[in-house]
Amino acid sequence: MPKHIYELEALELIKNIKEGNLRVYEVVEEFLERIEKVETKINAFITLRDREEILREAKEKDEILRQGQAKGILFGLPIAVKDNISTENIRTTCGSKMLYNYVPPYDATVIKLLKREGAIILGKTNMDEFAMGSSTETSFFGPTRNPWDLSRVPGGSSGGSAAALASGEAPLALGSDTGGSVRAPASFTATVGLKPTYGLVSRYGLIAYANSLEQIGPMGRSVQDTALLLNVIAKYDPNDATSLNVKRPNYLASTYNVNDLHRKVRVALVKEMFEEGVSKDVALIVKNVVNKLVSEGFLVDEISIPIIKYALPAYYIIAMSEASSNLARYDGIRYGFRAKISGDWNEVFSETRKEGFGKEVKRRIIMGTFTLSAGYFDQYYLKALKVRTLIIREFKNAFRKYNILISPTMPTPPFKIGEKIKDPLAMYMSDVETVVANIVGIPAISLPAGFVSDNLPVGIQLMADHLREDLLFSIAAFIEKLTGLRNLIAKI
Ligand code: GLN
């Protein structure tokens, strides 16, 4: 049976468009129809672009193609973008009431790059408010549902992007990852997501949550699609002071010819990342994948990095401290929501923030203000930074001997909507596996490892040394071949 257009991988769509087998118009139209059909169940998008406008853009692209003028490696491909990435003339809310009406006057660098390569933006995807969360339940626009089981969360905070992929609403998506927000939803939806090396992808136009930790990351339904998208967005950008001015390899090319990797790549499991708080099912599924690697000739060791237990507390202190400073800008004066009261600046400011921010965001601003305050700064923030340095040292040590470190991406399969939202600590604990890559600044990828009770996805996480995305993609492509878990779309 021929596949529906929405079931094709991004690379297949691009090839068919280029070769004239598919018109951009019919591709885009089919995705719009798919969205119309499933979106009421999923709620992956906060804002969809105007249908007519998108179709007009598609028509223009077809005309350019007809004239043989098509340029760009994503030419004609629809894409979904997380709603904390600024898009000129398209509302960008960060999942918050505070920005419910905010329309950015400029494009983030990654958006400029997408447009330059010919992509068509479908809309802006749902997320935890200001990217603070692991389940996409704290959005002002309601939770996103997991396409594999509508009673469960899709992970977060880039849950909308992941759910759009897993339900066939989009072939490719952008997310952001401060402590796991690309990888957690990838794990929970059987899709692929990469958190790049800090500084590889420009953060210009990404609405800040915790600057020292976050990166925009590519998301897809296959390792190759994800690598393709990284090729587009990983560019040096003088507008971002932390952007790395280094040569970037062709990441897609590193997914080819992956057959003699076992001779070159040393792999290790991180012992602690399979233990405390990790469900037995999840650990087993990930270890099964590792066993397959061993059967293929890989030497796989187990290493212990005991300091890893401090990664989660250090992460939350650093992230909340930075958040408390970053979110001070929402004052209701220049843009965004403003409370309907009259009074002096202080009254308007306070009431605006009281009404505009949700509970989790307020909790973090309060805690972050505390950890930065005189008298506690040394005890919390400074100490967390010192712990961060020690963790970086340990990981740098590990990478002297091993190229790839393996763990589960999430400690559990997708949980029920409502299950953890009233217990912030339980929610924070679901980030135990992911935050360490952000603390260290190294790249990490999540891809499907298997399923628990038939339909609940489990992801495997691979971490590599700084700027070794090429290796991650090579091994990930190899694992994807071994598991056969590629281009999965949930039945809805
Ligand atoms: N769940 C983590 C947090 O709430 C990570 C979120 C993210 O990566 N944006 O901080």
Side-chain angles (χ1 to χ4, degrees):
M1 210 174 74
K3 280 186 187 171
H4 290 287
I5 290 175
Y6 73 79
E7 292 173 314
L8 297 174
E9 288 178 27
L11 275 165
E12 295 174 293
L13 287 167
I14 290 165
K15 186 164 176 279
N16 278 301
I17 290 171
K18 209 186 202 162
E19 291 172 357
N21 305 325
L22 287 173
R23 279 177 303 121
V24 178
Y25 191 91
E26 57 184 327
V27 169
V28 166
E29 198 177 31
E30 167 136 339
F31 278 102
L32 292 175
E33 258 162 43
R34 179 70 183 164
I35 290 170
E36 206 157 289
K37 186 158 167 235
V38 301
E39 182 58 8
T40 48
K41 294 184 201 147
I42 307 291
N43 197 27
F45 287 91
I46 291 175
T47 304
L48 277 166
R49 276 181 65 207
D50 176 60
R51 189 187 160 85
E52 296 313 313
E53 200 181 295
I54 298 182
L55 290 174
R56 205 177 316 125
E57 198 180 320
K59 247 189 211 151
E60 280 165 21
K61 290 234 151 49
D62 279 324
E63 183 54 28
I64 294 172
L65 251 173
R66 212 182 49 80
Q67 295 167 357
Q69 302 289 321
K71 275 200 252 358
I73 58 180
L74 299 179
F75 192 86
L77 192 82
I79 186 165
V81 175
K82 187 176 181 178
D83 209 21
N84 59 351
I85 300 173
S86 303
T87 39
E88 188 177 356
N89 294 330
I90 307 175
R91 178 170 81 138
T92 300
T93 71
C94 252
S96 182
K97 180 176 177 180
M98 196 55 108
L99 291 176
Y100 78 104
N101 59 357
Y102 172 61
V103 180
Y106 73 104
D107 277 332
T109 297
V110 293
I111 300 298
K112 281 210 184 96
L113 292 169
L114 288 182
K115 288 183 177 171
R116 190 162 89 191
E117 297 300 338
I120 299 177
I121 294 168
L122 287 172
K124 307 297 295 290
T125 58
N126 205 357
M127 55 183 282
D128 282 295
E129 186 178 4
F130 283 101
M132 297 172 185
S134 318
S135 65
T136 317
E137 289 173 286
T138 69
S139 170
F140 175 65
F141 302 89
T144 296
R145 293 174 182 274
N146 190 322
W148 295 96
D149 177 341
L150 298 175
S151 70
R152 292 178 192 266
V153 304
S157 62
S158 316
S161 288
L165 292 170
S167 60
E169 290 179 301
L172 217 50
L174 281 183
S176 73
D177 191 311
T178 311
S181 280
V182 159
R183 290 160 289 154
S187 176
F188 277 8
T189 60
T191 56
V192 182
L194 173 98
K195 197 281 293 177
T197 300
Y198 188 74
L200 189 78
V201 175
S202 169
R203 287 183 296 108
Y204 182 71
L206 170 69
I207 298 179
Y209 156 22
N211 325 41
S212 83
L213 298 159
E214 59 210 7
Q215 276 287 288
I216 291 169
M219 304 171 79
R221 284 194 306 266
S222 74
V223 172
Q224 292 196 328
D225 281 0
T226 310
L228 173 78
L229 185 51
L230 188 65
N231 275 351
V232 172
I233 62 172
K235 296 278 184 281
Y236 169 65
D237 180 13
N239 282 333
D240 172 356
T242 60
S243 176
L244 294 171
N245 194 355
V246 295
K247 207 170 150 16
R248 283 125 168 109
N250 180 339
Y251 302 105
L252 183 57
S254 57
T255 65
Y256 306 145
N257 304 327
V258 291
N259 287 332
D260 59 348
L261 285 172
H262 61 280
R263 280 185 238 281
K264 301 183 228 156
V265 182
R266 296 288 311 257
V267 179
L269 301 187
V270 184
K271 184 167 160 279
E272 288 76 11
M273 299 178 92
F274 286 82
E275 290 172 348
E276 218 185 309
V278 180
S279 105
K280 287 214 167 58
D281 291 345
V282 168
L284 197 71
I285 285 176
V286 174
K287 283 191 173 162
N288 277 342
V289 174
V290 174
N291 287 339
K292 285 189 183 144
L293 282 177
V294 174
S295 319
E296 294 293 321
F298 280 85
L299 280 174
V300 183
D301 286 346
E302 187 178 78
I303 57 163
S304 171
I305 310 181
I307 198 171
I308 223 164
K309 68 165 178 283
Y310 298 112
L312 193 71
Y315 166 80
Y316 270 98
I317 290 172
I318 295 168
M320 289 181 188
S321 302
E322 292 184 21
S324 75
S325 160
N326 277 323
L327 272 60
R329 71 188 63 159
Y330 303 105
D331 54 10
I333 306 287
R334 290 158 296 182
Y335 52 81
F337 170 75
R338 182 190 297 182
K340 286 193 181 55
I341 65 157
S342 53
D344 63 20
W345 179 80
N346 200 16
E347 284 162 334
V348 174
F349 177 85
S350 301
E351 189 59 27
T352 294
R353 289 167 70 83
K354 184 172 141 197
E355 292 175 29
F357 288 135
K359 218 169 162 180
E360 182 58 30
V361 172
K362 281 182 197 154
R363 180 177 4 256
R364 294 186 187 209
I365 293 174
I366 291 169
M367 294 216 276
T369 305
F370 175 75
T371 52
L372 289 181
S373 60
Y376 294 100
F377 182 90
D378 293 2
Q379 222 171 318
Y380 293 101
Y381 183 64
L382 201 60
K383 202 176 214 170
L385 290 186
K386 288 178 181 168
V387 169
R388 182 176 195 175
T389 303
L390 293 176
I391 297 175
I392 293 173
R393 205 174 289 164
E394 290 295 315
F395 268 77
K396 279 306 214 187
N397 251 333
F399 286 123
R400 268 196 263 281
K401 197 151 172 219
Y402 300 100
N403 312 104
I404 298 281
L405 302 180
I406 294 188
S407 74
T409 309
M410 294 299 276
T412 64
F415 44 87
K416 291 266 185 194
I417 291 177
E419 193 179 321
K420 300 197 180 183
I421 195 72
K422 295 224 167 63
D423 184 350
L425 211 54
M427 189 69 86
Y428 300 168
M429 294 292 280
S430 55
D431 305 332
V432 277
E433 311 278 14
T434 48
V435 293
V436 71
N438 306 76
I439 293 256
V440 182
I442 49 174
I445 193 167
S446 178
L447 70 152
F451 287 83
V452 174
S453 35
D454 281 356
N455 69 335
L456 301 182
V458 170
I460 179 171
Q461 174 175 250
L462 316 174
M463 294 181 277
D465 204 354
H466 293 102
L467 296 172
R468 292 317 303 269
E469 281 79 2
D470 57 331
L471 257 188
L472 283 185
F473 279 122
S474 297
I475 298 283
F478 189 78
I479 290 177
E480 190 183 58
K481 268 193 198 162
L482 290 178
T483 60
L485 301 174
R486 173 175 182 154
N487 195 23
L488 305 174
I489 297 181
K491 301 241 170 323
I492 22 169

